[in-house]
């Protein structure tokens, strides 16, 4: 499941949605999980760099923010890594704190059962509602839509084939124009032909694209669109 990084157009709303999903999930859990998720939400709100997917905070600073000791911080961060919500980007060394990223896809997978509790509008906005695809507007396409070339064998070439098979018109309108830029860990970066095209893909197709990518490569956890 999920998600393009919440940056650019609509980023603020997406951040609130992610925090709402975490809050709704926490409230459905026991007190220990509630407290753990609240601690993460506070840390993300105070120190997470959304644009760079970077959380670089020392244990002492986290302990002060959480009103706990550093031993508790070490345990809680380890449990969040084990859950898959926190990912180590760069291990800390002497004089340098550990740099973390967030696996937003895993977070949304885990919190999805609580989305209906927020409301049908939230569920629809997060891509789970029955009418989620009604806002996607395929442009008129004449004739047969040629299938993508899968000879490169990349995750994007194979994902394009999946997307073409599901909806050739939609593929021709919005997917075919996206170019693969690079792959870094679980992050796949694509380039859109224009700012409008990229913003439209982010708003309406992000979940569908990531689902196709994960179908052919389960290690893909994020799709980023640049111009």
């Amino acid at each position: 499941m999920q998600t393009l990084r919440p940056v650019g157009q609509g980023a603020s709303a997406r951040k609130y949605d992610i925090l709402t999903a975490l809050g709704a999930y926490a409230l459905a859990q026991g007190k220990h999980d509630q407290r753990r998720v609240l601690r993460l939400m506070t840390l993300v709100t105070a120190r997470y760099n959304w644009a760079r997917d970077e959380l670089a905070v020392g244990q002492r600073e986290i302990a002060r923010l959480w009103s706990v000791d550093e031993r508790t911080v070490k345990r809680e961060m380890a449990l969040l890594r084990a859950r898959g919500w926190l990912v180590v980007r760069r291990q800390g060394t002497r004089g340098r704190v550990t740099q973390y990223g967030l696996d937003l896809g895993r977070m949304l997978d885990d919190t999805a059962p609580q989305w209906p509790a927020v409301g049908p509008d939230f569920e629809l906005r997060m891509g789970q509602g029955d009418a989620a695809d009604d806002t996607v507007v395929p442009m008129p396409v004449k004739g047969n839509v040629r299938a993508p070339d899968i000879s490169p064998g990349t995750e994007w070439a194979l994902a394009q084939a999946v997307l073409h098979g599901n909806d050739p018109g939609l593929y021709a309108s919005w997917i075919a124009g996206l170019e693969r830029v690079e792959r870094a860990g679980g992050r796949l970066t694509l380039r859109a032909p224009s700012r409008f095209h990229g913003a439209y893909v982010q708003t309406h197709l992000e979940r569908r694209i990531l689902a196709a990518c994960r179908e052919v490569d389960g290690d893909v956890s994020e799709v980023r669109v640049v111009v």
Side-chain angles (χ1 to χ4, degrees):
M1 186 179 293
Q2 206 308 60
T3 208
L4 295 168
R5 186 76 28 203
V7 296
Q9 184 177 1
S12 296
R14 175 59 84 184
K15 293 172 188 176
Y16 280 118
D17 284 344
I18 291 169
L19 292 172
T20 298
L22 289 172
Y25 170 84
L27 292 170
Q29 311 306 310
K31 63 180 181 180
H32 297 297
D33 280 334
Q34 283 184 359
R35 184 165 52 191
R36 184 168 300 122
V37 178
L38 175 60
R39 285 169 172 167
L40 177 62
M41 292 172 66
T42 304
L43 184 59
V44 167
T45 303
R47 294 290 182 265
Y48 180 61
N49 186 318
W50 293 91
R52 297 174 59 182
D53 184 24
E54 182 179 279
L55 180 62
V57 189
Q59 290 186 5
R60 182 176 301 175
E61 186 177 353
I62 297 174
R64 185 167 58 248
L65 178 65
W66 288 355
S67 298
V68 298
D69 56 32
E70 292 184 42
R71 184 176 180 180
T72 299
V73 171
K74 186 175 182 180
R75 183 189 70 243
E76 293 292 277
M77 296 296 276
L79 289 169
L80 289 167
R81 292 198 305 272
R83 176 172 283 179
W85 290 9
L86 279 183
V87 180
V88 175
R89 301 294 190 200
R90 184 182 64 205
Q91 189 64 50
T93 57
R94 180 174 296 180
R96 177 177 291 178
V97 302
T98 298
Q99 178 182 314
Y100 296 96
L102 299 181
D103 188 336
L104 296 179
R106 181 65 178 272
M107 285 183 177
L108 296 187
D109 280 340
D110 290 347
T111 61
Q114 273 68 54
W115 294 355
V118 181
D121 58 330
F122 182 81
E123 191 176 13
L124 176 61
R125 190 163 64 250
M126 297 296 280
Q128 289 285 298
D130 294 336
D133 291 334
D134 290 348
T135 56
V136 179
V137 182
M139 296 178 179
V141 178
K142 296 181 179 180
N144 294 328
V145 178
R146 179 179 299 179
D149 178 13
I150 63 172
S151 61
T154 64
E155 73 292 289
W156 179 234
L158 298 176
Q160 282 182 296
V162 171
L163 292 162
H164 174 273
N166 290 339
D167 192 331
L170 188 67
Y171 166 82
S173 299
W174 300 106
I175 306 300
L178 301 175
E179 297 180 358
R180 186 182 191 273
V181 177
E182 64 177 1
R183 170 78 177 272
R187 176 186 293 174
L188 173 65
T189 301
L190 306 174
R191 178 175 287 112
S194 69
R195 191 175 301 276
F196 170 77
H197 194 118
Y200 191 91
V201 168
Q202 283 186 315
T203 302
H204 299 285
L205 298 173
E206 58 181 54
R207 300 179 66 79
R208 186 181 300 195
I209 290 173
L210 184 60
C213 289
R214 290 180 64 85
E215 185 173 332
V216 300
D217 185 343
D219 292 331
V220 178
S221 59
E222 176 189 349
V223 177
R224 180 183 178 213
V225 178
V226 299
V227 179

